[in-house]
Amino acid sequence: MAKMTISGLQTLAKTYVAAAKQAGTWTSSSDNLYKAIDKIGKMVMIDGQFIDKLPELDGEDLPLGKTIEEYFIDLTLPEAYGTIINAAGGDKAPALPTVENCSYSYSLGREKIKTTVPYNNVERAARSVEDASNMITKILERLGNSYEMFKFAAKKQLLGNAADKAVTAKLVTTIALPTDKTTSEAFIKQIKQDVETASFPNEGGLNGSLIGAAPELILYVKKGVMPVVEVDALAGAFNEGRLAIPAKIKVVDDFGSMTATNVYALLVDPRGIKLHRDYHAIRQSENADGDFINYVDHSEHTGFISKNVFIKAYKSE
């Protein structure tokens, strides 16, 4: 008998557990007395999560009008008592407040997602009635998954559009992408300063008008940034509370397709970015001749970006 060693065991395992026998294509075999096809012992579908991770950007449904009109009334500057009164109107002369031009957010149009469940088809691949039921259910589940991922992508693009508008309005800070303790702490310091600014009336909206303090702020950050900040800055802090970022933090994998380059974070009052659902319905239709049933997910949305809430983009050089 051969003596077992670690290296010998590894060599044996490599030969026995041949890589070509996992995650490969179908190869038929008949290694049995009857020369019948060797049967599949288990069917499995391992699924992950398909979640819209930006639920806070869901606006209320718009079942009737699809366009959003935003107006804004400016504040009025006081004047010294005793100012000469307009002779034409005396103390009854109007002093109407100034207003900003209205801005409009329009419907993004309708989209549809279609899937088909064929009759007497999936059953051929199933090992049991339960298997067949699960496989058909997964087809319909994927319809819902597809809608959620479509909506998630639309919200990320809204964030990207908002970041582009912030850059155009010069509401942007160029600061090094956090890569170590020094750059991470510099980033946190900048965020703290901007959060402090947003907590008072300020001119940090796309309109440039004096806006009120933001009741809430969310820092949207591209993936890969926060692990550096958390490990290199926050984890090593003597008093973590002094370095903690004073805003909710949401990590996204991207900001869609942007015009501005190197933007990696966006600090915003979440009231100012919303995806409104104008219409959503799932229709179904049987095809008797073809012996299948179609399911179609219909949707329409309006993306809203406010010009009168705090917003700040952060980009590397």
Side-chain angles (χ1 to χ4, degrees):
M1 301 292 290
K3 177 181 176 180
M4 181 180 289
T5 63
I6 292 177
S7 61
L9 190 59
Q10 289 176 335
T11 299
L12 175 63
K14 181 178 181 180
T15 302
Y16 177 65
V17 187
K21 291 190 176 182
Q22 297 94 47
T25 56
W26 167 248
T27 301
S28 176
S29 65
S30 301
D31 188 14
N32 59 79
L33 174 66
Y34 298 101
K35 299 304 178 185
I37 294 176
D38 292 337
K39 300 301 187 283
I40 292 173
K42 179 180 181 180
M43 292 183 68
V44 61
M45 177 177 172
I46 299 176
D47 211 355
Q49 294 182 325
F50 297 95
I51 301 172
D52 175 0
K53 293 189 175 185
L54 299 172
E56 72 280 0
L57 298 186
D58 280 322
E60 70 272 20
D61 288 356
L62 301 177
L64 299 176
K66 314 304 182 187
T67 301
I68 298 175
E69 182 176 48
E70 182 183 20
Y71 68 94
F72 189 79
I73 303 174
D74 296 316
L75 276 66
T76 301
L77 189 68
E79 57 185 22
Y81 177 75
T83 301
I84 298 175
I85 298 174
N86 186 318
D91 60 357
K92 293 183 173 55
L96 299 176
T98 61
V99 298
E100 299 297 324
N101 291 332
C102 290
S103 61
Y104 297 87
S105 296
Y106 300 96
S107 167
L108 303 174
R110 288 183 56 163
E111 295 288 329
K112 68 176 184 178
I113 308 170
K114 182 178 179 180
T115 193
T116 299
V117 176
Y119 294 119
N120 192 36
N121 181 293
V122 172
E123 291 82 354
R124 295 176 180 273
R127 298 170 57 252
S128 66
V129 173
E130 182 181 4
D131 277 352
S133 177
N134 289 339
M135 293 163 78
I136 291 172
T137 298
K138 274 296 178 185
I139 295 176
L140 299 179
E141 184 180 313
R142 277 295 184 264
L143 188 64
N145 294 154
S146 299
Y147 175 70
E148 287 301 307
M149 288 298 94
F150 162 65
K151 195 168 64 165
F152 182 42
K155 290 177 181 177
K156 290 190 292 182
Q157 186 61 55
L158 267 180
L159 291 175
N161 291 353
D164 276 336
K165 291 178 183 294
V167 171
T168 299
K170 295 182 170 47
L171 298 172
V172 59
T173 293
T174 300
I175 186 169
L177 180 72
T179 56
D180 54 24
K181 187 174 186 296
T182 300
T183 52
S184 295
E185 290 182 353
F187 176 63
I188 294 174
K189 180 180 179 181
Q190 183 63 54
I191 296 298
K192 281 178 170 288
Q193 290 174 344
D194 292 332
V195 170
E196 191 175 75
T197 297
S199 68
F200 296 92
N202 63 88
E203 296 176 347
L206 296 174
N207 246 345
S209 303
L210 179 61
I211 59 175
E216 178 187 8
L217 290 170
I218 296 182
L219 178 65
Y220 292 98
V221 189
K222 281 189 177 181
K223 66 178 181 179
V225 174
M226 288 312 299
V228 176
V229 174
E230 290 169 354
V231 173
D232 290 345
L234 298 180
F238 176 75
N239 185 339
E240 185 174 321
R242 289 182 177 274
L243 274 178
I245 294 175
K248 291 183 180 179
I249 300 172
K250 296 296 290 282
V251 176
V252 293
D253 49 343
D254 60 69
F255 287 141
S257 178
M258 298 179 58
T259 300
T261 58
N262 302 328
V263 172
Y264 62 87
L266 182 70
L267 182 65
V268 66
D269 179 340
R271 297 176 303 165
I273 302 177
K274 297 293 181 185
L275 183 68
H276 295 267
R277 184 172 61 183
D278 304 336
Y279 178 73
H280 189 214
I282 297 177
R283 308 300 183 193
Q284 63 184 63
S285 174
E286 280 193 333
N287 184 308
D289 282 345
D291 201 22
F292 58 80
I293 184 169
N294 287 327
Y295 293 89
V296 185
D297 184 308
H298 295 272
S299 64
E300 181 178 1
H301 300 83
T302 297
F304 170 69
I305 296 176
S306 172
K307 299 181 74 173
N308 301 291
V309 298
F310 184 87
I311 184 171
K312 186 70 173 293
Y314 304 88
K315 59 176 292 189
S316 58
E317 294 185 15

